[in-house]
Amino acid sequence: MTLVPRIKVLGFWLAIGSFIGLLSGSASALFLVLLEWATLTRNTNEVIVYFLPVAGLLMGWILHRWGQSVIRGTNLVVDTIWQGGPQIPLRLAPMVMLGTVWTHLFGGSAGREGTAVQMGASIADGVLYALKIPEKYRQELICAGVAGGFGSVFGTPIAGMIFGMEFVVLGRLRYRAFAPCLAAAIVGDWTCHAWGVGHAAYPVLGDLSLEPILMGKWLVFAAAMALATVGFIELTHLIKAHLGRWVQHPALRMFIGGVLVVFLWKVVGTSQYLGLGVPTILSAFEEPGLGAQVFALKLIFTAITLGAGFLGGEVTPLFFIGAALGSVLSGVLGIPVEYGAGVGLAAVFAAASNAPLALSVMAAELLGIHVLPHVMLVCFVAYILTGHRSIYSAQRVGLFKS
Amino acid sequence: MTLVPRIKVLGFWLAIGSFIGLLSGSASALFLVLLEWATLTRNTNEVIVYFLPVAGLLMGWILHRWGQSVIRGTNLVVDTIWQGGPQIPLRLAPMVMLGTVWTHLFGGSAGREGTAVQMGASIADGVLYALKIPEKYRQELICAGVAGGFGSVFGTPIAGMIFGMEFVVLGRLRYRAFAPCLAAAIVGDWTCHAWGVGHAAYPVLGDLSLEPILMGKWLVFAAAMALATVGFIELTHLIKAHLGRWVQHPALRMFIGGVLVVFLWKVVGTSQYLGLGVPTILSAFEEPGLGAQVFALKLIFTAITLGAGFLGGEVTPLFFIGAALGSVLSGVLGIPVEYGAGVGLAAVFAAASNAPLALSVMAAELLGIHVLPHVMLVCFVAYILTGHRSIYSAQRVGLFKS
């Protein structure tokens, strides 16, 4: 292909990617504002958490009635990229956004990225159909929506871009989607900031030499992260499978999940495991004395919330689990606590979503460049040890881990 | 594959990758020390530059006699990864190292990464044959050698790792080589530092919002970078082709190349275009008034040096060209000068080697994380606009740029 048509194609990708970034970044901004409101409202009126079972019942009924696509969530996005199919419904975007805010308002333990990814994908598919863009560009456009959503909701554009290229197929990076993912992620991040919406600031890590003894420690660390990841994935599947067998109606399942979360909440006697849990993540960078039960409890809270069918994502709870576990391990292994927390933060989600490259870059975008070799080593080893498991059951295996 | 065999395979890859990193990092350390010596010797005795033609004649004769593999250089590495073939000769490592030091001692304008990549690859292939490792692991091991060499010679391990996975095939990333490349790059970098050998320190860039007007500026910037890249590749090819047609013996070609470099050196009346040119690269971060001829002259010096057959690499001269051009463009376009120089630094080599991801990460490792979205945008657009050109003629096209 000679220069002029190449410029045209590049221009097309950058323009359409930017447009998708503009929309998905705006959606992320609105979503973050609502989430902030929900978190604040819950924190100042904790009695609201008692209504989680009822909130679940109501949401479950609505989802069952109108939201089959919402229930399939990120798996629907992966399936559509992979095998085509009907348009990802545009109503998915508002439904999953409001559903996630609903989860957080009543204290479910969930994240954000699933929501941002699904909003981005449904917006991108909407753009494709609205502008009558040929079907052959569809996969790349949906990837761009994912990149725009992920990049803007965390303020990490390049991690978003790589996530959009990496998460669909295990062990493969879609270079074909490079241009639209890049444009969507950068414009998405800028758009979110242009709306005046910022992100949690993490500490910037200082330089730390990666010498052989530390490499050995990181291997042990990575094995522990893989174990936590497997524990999370298996527990969530177990809860989903058993609840699904025992309880017919999804609304009832969410009611039971809500009851369990409220029960646990009262038993542990702290609210730190509800919602996103950003304050605990930040404190993991400071105190190695966080307690070994902290990561385990967050794991259980999140597995119940998501296993029961509440909407949301996995990133922030898995950040919590990884950072809390990493913080504790840093004391045991003799690693600087901010490094233990920072590397752990990225490793569990990297392994759970099979996106070691995206999450390593994300850690660097959040914590500074010095973390990069450390986090790459741990993310990759944890990703291998986790095997062919994934929080996205629809994810394809492009390369067998061996 | 279940857990125990997976751990065994992972352990094998990490161990063998670390071993390759140890060797290639040591080779890089020795190489950097010799290079420092050569640069210092030349700077303090500039009369030595007059001997460049004779030095070329001698080197050309030796290469013609004993060094066919050295002449094929990085292309031999790419071909071997791609299609197998006989062992990459172990003597390639010392020959290319000494040959490159020779080039720099007498003032040829060349770089280092070709040398480091070829040393790493020949060491890795040597390890494969020495330890009788099955042939089926060969591609990944050679990639690891490349990663170890590249990562250690620049002190950018993760860029080295990604380069080892990215440079063989245009538009594809070899996930299969992830583990050995990661281990080789990290251990290689550590080894080089453990020998007490450091790297040039670049300025750390502050935060800069990537807003739409700046995005537009970067597109223009990227087009200029692509133009410089195409100019460099085409001029080098032209010199190589014409010299090859007119002058039969390679030693005589290098003699003529040497005469041309000396002639140019006297005409321009400065020594800043000889050798690596690190001081000028660093000054590009400070003064936008570097002059538009600076990048062009370095381009010509380097194209003559490498086109005539002198040994060395392309990275540092292309860093020079990109940083100098970027510095000038920063004044024209209204971009902070350190951003113009820093992004330009990575963009020309990214486009010339078809490794936009590796070079973006390299820029982040050298200049701090804030440069990442900017450099990713420019590297990728320049990479697309450069078309199916490459400084490595053996590089395969895995994905047509369109």
Side-chain angles (χ1 to χ4, degrees), chain A residues 6 166 175-176 384 387 399, chain B residues 6 166 175-176 384 387 399:
Chain A
R6 181 173 299 134
E166 193 180 37
Y175 264 65
R176 202 174 287 279
I384 289 288
L399 172 72
Chain B
R6 182 174 297 134
E166 192 180 37
Y175 264 66
R176 202 174 287 279
I384 288 288
L399 173 72

Side-chain angles (χ1 to χ4, degrees), chain B residues 21-31 97 152 188 191-192 195:
Chain B
L22 207 67
L23 297 177
S24 58
S26 299
S28 290
L30 177 61
F31 174 49
M97 186 192 301
S152 59
T191 304
C192 193
W195 283 109

